[in-house]
Amino acid sequence: MPTLRFSTDQLGPRLTDAARVRRWADCLSGNGVSFHCPREDGFRGAVELLRLPGCEIGRAHATSAVGTRTAEAIVRDRDQAFFIFANVGGARKVASQAGRDIVLDDGAITVLDHTRPHRTLAPDGGAAVAIVISGADVAASGLALGDRTGRAPADPGAARLLLRYALGLLADPLAGPDGEAVATQHLTDLVGLAFGAPDRGGDRVRSAAAARARLILTAVRRRAMEPDVDAASVGRDFGLSERTVQGLLADCGTSVGREVLEARLRRAYDLLHGIEPTAATVAAIAFDCGFNSVSTFYRAYRARFGSSPGEARRRLPQPALSKTLAR
């Protein structure tokens, strides 16, 4: 399922601030949580939302916001779930449940019991991430909320990975029912690791490794056109050694070099076939896609696609080629 994205910047200038708040709040009105803005004047907000089987990830930015889950909402939807709340930018946020306020500075994360009323407050704005996971799924993995409600994670490293993985899914969701199920399982296991569930058989550790590997793959593909991308530089972004990055990708049957080559060849393919309009020569495309040698590019392209780059350009229909060159 694709990520839903909305920003009040998309709305026309004639819309009132109150109407902007309502549009923004409507995008977030899932899982029995309602939103309002204490200060509507000049309101601006944005939402990213991804719904997965038994799980939902939301990232919201607003100039001011309060989210409330009431007892009436709980009775109405009967959603037994864990509510993970994180401050990912801006002023302090507050999570409130059972008469207790949990103050969250930038980067802090906590867990709330979604079967009981709670509030999340960002009176001074900024960005926050919420992850709602089926209580049955998490409980099956051995985590009971108990006195963990409102507590800091037992494993801060796992909590950071959980947050980074959730943000990575918002940017690049796993496709198809199988991919969505895998993403939910990874998130569930990471919640267990972060908040101290026993790891029977090492399943959560394996999920953490798989989640970290996917983040690394996404980073490699995003940086594929950079001249200095390698396992060492990618590892620095994650606080991992070069050998650890190589090992995680090897477990996925790939490597930094293989992923970089594939991304560069795919971009060259799109350019040569007019999928991305360009008037560049084959040689210029080769250099633009990160190849230092045209002959190396020709060999790699032919090995990957079974034809030469020049043949690909010649096969482009003349009307399409004319439009490409005219841009």
Side-chain angles (χ1 to χ4, degrees):
M1 181 177 293
T3 299
L4 178 153
R5 290 184 171 85
F6 168 79
S7 170
T8 55
D9 292 341
Q10 299 168 349
L11 303 175
R14 296 182 181 180
L15 212 63
T16 66
D17 287 332
R20 291 175 187 277
V21 171
R22 286 195 300 273
R23 297 282 184 89
W24 176 85
D26 286 346
C27 290
L28 287 169
S29 59
N31 289 299
V33 180
S34 59
F35 290 85
H36 73 279
C37 175
R39 298 192 299 272
E40 293 184 348
D41 291 350
F43 178 83
R44 292 293 182 273
V47 174
E48 295 175 272
L49 191 63
L50 176 64
R51 290 189 170 96
L52 299 167
C55 176
E56 184 173 296
I57 306 168
R59 183 182 189 273
H61 182 276
T63 50
S64 177
V66 174
T68 304
R69 179 161 168 82
T70 64
E72 291 79 11
I74 294 166
V75 170
R76 184 171 60 250
D77 65 28
R78 299 178 181 177
D79 187 10
Q80 307 292 307
F82 288 60
F83 187 90
I84 294 90
F85 182 68
N87 181 359
V88 294
R92 284 182 169 182
K93 313 293 187 294
V94 177
S96 179
Q97 186 165 59
R100 180 173 175 230
D101 290 341
I102 304 101
V103 178
L104 302 171
D105 291 317
D106 190 9
I109 183 171
T110 193
V111 62
L112 302 175
D113 185 347
H114 213 45
T115 67
R116 302 163 66 192
H118 60 75
R119 300 178 78 203
T120 54
L121 300 91
D124 297 317
V129 167
I131 307 168
V132 183
I133 298 184
S134 162
D137 287 343
V138 178
S141 69
L143 180 65
L145 276 174
D147 61 359
R148 292 183 176 90
T149 302
R151 302 294 181 184
D155 185 338
R160 288 192 294 272
L161 179 58
L162 166 65
L163 189 54
R164 194 164 187 172
Y165 185 68
L167 290 168
L169 289 173
L170 284 174
D172 183 21
L174 288 174
D178 290 345
E180 292 176 355
V182 167
T184 297
Q185 187 61 57
H186 286 168
L187 288 165
T188 301
D189 287 338
L190 288 171
V191 169
L193 276 178
F195 291 96
D199 188 13
R200 302 186 185 95
D203 288 342
R204 291 188 192 82
V205 170
R206 285 188 286 274
S207 274
R212 187 175 281 112
R214 184 174 189 275
L215 287 171
I216 290 170
L217 279 172
T218 299
V220 170
R221 291 164 183 167
R222 186 180 65 248
R223 294 183 51 197
M225 302 303 152
E226 298 178 12
D228 59 347
V229 59
D230 58 19
S233 65
V234 172
R236 285 194 292 273
D237 293 341
F238 292 87
L240 301 173
S241 69
E242 178 180 3
R243 180 173 295 181
T244 299
V245 170
Q246 291 169 338
L248 286 168
L249 294 187
D251 289 341
C252 298
T254 189
S255 66
V256 172
R258 184 179 300 175
E259 292 298 322
V260 167
L261 178 60
E262 176 65 15
R264 291 177 176 180
L265 288 172
R266 277 291 171 189
R267 174 162 169 74
Y269 181 96
D270 289 348
L271 291 169
L272 289 165
H273 286 78
I275 298 170
E276 289 188 40
T278 181
T281 64
V282 171
I285 287 173
F287 292 122
D288 181 58
C289 293
F291 291 89
N292 295 322
S293 163
V294 175
S295 60
T296 299
F297 171 60
Y298 264 77
R299 285 195 299 272
Y301 190 95
R302 183 181 290 278
R304 176 65 179 84
F305 300 112
S307 62
S308 74
E311 289 170 335
R313 172 53 63 83
R314 287 193 294 274
R315 288 173 185 169
L316 188 66
Q318 287 304 308
L321 181 58
S322 298
K323 290 180 181 179
T324 294
L325 296 174
R327 289 173 184 258

